[in-house]
Amino acid sequence: MNIRATVWMRRAIIGVAAVSSPLFSRFAAAKEPAKAFERPKLAVVVVFDQFRSDYLTRWRDLYGTDGLRRLMHDGAWFQNCHYPYATTVTAAGHASIHTGCSPNTHGIVGNSWYDRGMKRSITSVYSPLHRRVPARGSRASAAPIRLLAPTLADALKTATGGKARVVSLSFKDRSAVLPGGKKPDACYWFDASTGEFVTSTYYQADPHPWVREFNASRAVDRWFGKTWDRLRGDVKYERFSGPDNVANEWTGYGQGRTFPHPMGKPARKPGRQYYDAMMNSPFGNELLLELVKRAVVAEKLGSRDVPDLLCVSFSSNDLVGHAWGPDSQEVMDTTLRTDLIVRDLLAFLDKQVGKGRYVLAMTADHGVCPMPEISRMKGKDARRYDLRRIRRDVEKQLRAAIPSKKPLVEAVSGVDVYLNQRELKSRGVESRRAERLLAGFLKKQPGILTAYTRTQLMGRIPETDKLGRQVQRSFFPARSGDVTVVVKPYCLLGWRDTGTTHGSPHEYDTHVPLLFFGAGIPAGIHKQAVTPLAVATVLARRLGIKPPAKANAGIPAGLFPAEKRPAGR
Ligand SMILES: [Zn+2]
């Protein structure tokens, strides 16, 4: 065992003792009075899209000491962090992390939902009023117009009279737009049709010079024609994950099921397929990290008299996870490379902003369901169910109960089913009756664990119905369906027969890492139940500002044990 590992073990033991024994914490507090810490110059929120809590421990022995393990050793590590709501998807996750509240408050119920007025599905950041920047065609672009709660970024802007600088970057539009709040100074995401980072006219008319230069450098094309192979030639991946070739893995964008994965071939020059493949490989994260470094330098983040905020969301983990599944060698390899991303980011911030002068939170927007084929090998009743067939079947049953020539199911979006309210009205059928019938039929469908009606979700759900409470926290009346279904554990509802997904209230989707690190964060391991919504409140506390107005997550008990609250508050 090396010295570092011994120190780590001792820290872990102290960490556990400090939270489990009041005697010990009193002793520790007496011996080490609360140290004054410098107000951080910069807060950083790092999200890895689709990163399950067990990834931290599953491959820990393969991580270096300066990346994820540095956060685990020197930071506050919350090992029992779960999303409190049911629809565990990217947009809901990012909105919740940054506002400190659930979708029933901030309104971002999914990546997209059915808009009854427009009679179609819209994304969480879709804005018909804004265009892509730099300009290209007349397609609508993205803006935070559907986010109904302020983010940490908004709270910081308010507290500093607009002086704090906010930068939000990701590959996905929703993962940059939602964290950035109403008035970020820079908000960029990736356009896979051109390989450029873009923003929208909601933010500004022209890209920042540092983004223009980055796009012009074509750093994005660096991996074209190369292959993605395993990072560690000295490690037998199969021992730590599973076999490389598993039935029902997806083949990506001409990438195949097994290593090495070609990048962009057989095209002669970089184009759509290559940019998609790049995002669907760990290289997407590497590219984003380069842009992040440029942003910190160009915007001089962490160098002035008020603190700044940097929001980064790395998307490639999610795409790789969807394609090959959490037990694949591809996800293992992407996670080992994620460790290097964290190492490089921390080393860069140490140099650029200064050790102990920034505070950082690391979490994920959701976990992921194992591939049903893998779960079945472990004896679980895991299957893929065709959502289109289920829709056809319940429509038939519903029309047998309520005679109608027109469809009674108007739309299905994710786990939400929307009834044709107009038709019900013209037939004189009460909506709540149709809801009840529909939920009853849905509950009997294969692959569906249970279903909740709008009427139920608008009312009181007993505390004993944990699942119902989770579904209720994902429910927003003007956007959610009339019936919401919950998929059976380890099963997938969809129409694809490859890869896997997330979005359920089950443990594998809700359990994510939560780590705080840096200025004013005592090292320790915490076992109590917390949610990622704590990111907004904890960082606000460290920045010395009020939390975002609708945040309802408290400061986790035991995080700041030595801090005395001023009397009378
Ligand atoms: Zn995803």
Side-chain angles (χ1 to χ4, degrees), residues 329-341:
Q329 300 194 2
E330 285 79 3
V331 164
M332 173 178 153
D333 193 69
T334 301
T335 312
L336 295 183
R337 292 171 188 266
T338 296
D339 181 45
L340 303 184
I341 294 279

Side-chain angles (χ1 to χ4, degrees), residues 91-92 106-116 119-126 145-148 178 411-414 416 418 476 478-481:
H106 61 60
I108 303 297
V109 292
N111 288 334
S112 55
W113 54 83
Y114 181 71
D115 186 299
R116 289 186 195 267
K119 291 206 167 296
R120 68 181 181 89
S121 183
I122 52 163
T123 82
S124 61
V125 292
Y126 168 76
I145 55 175
R146 289 181 174 75
L147 179 61
L148 306 177
L178 297 169
V412 176
S413 178
D416 281 275
Y418 299 76
F476 193 85
R479 296 173 180 179
S480 298

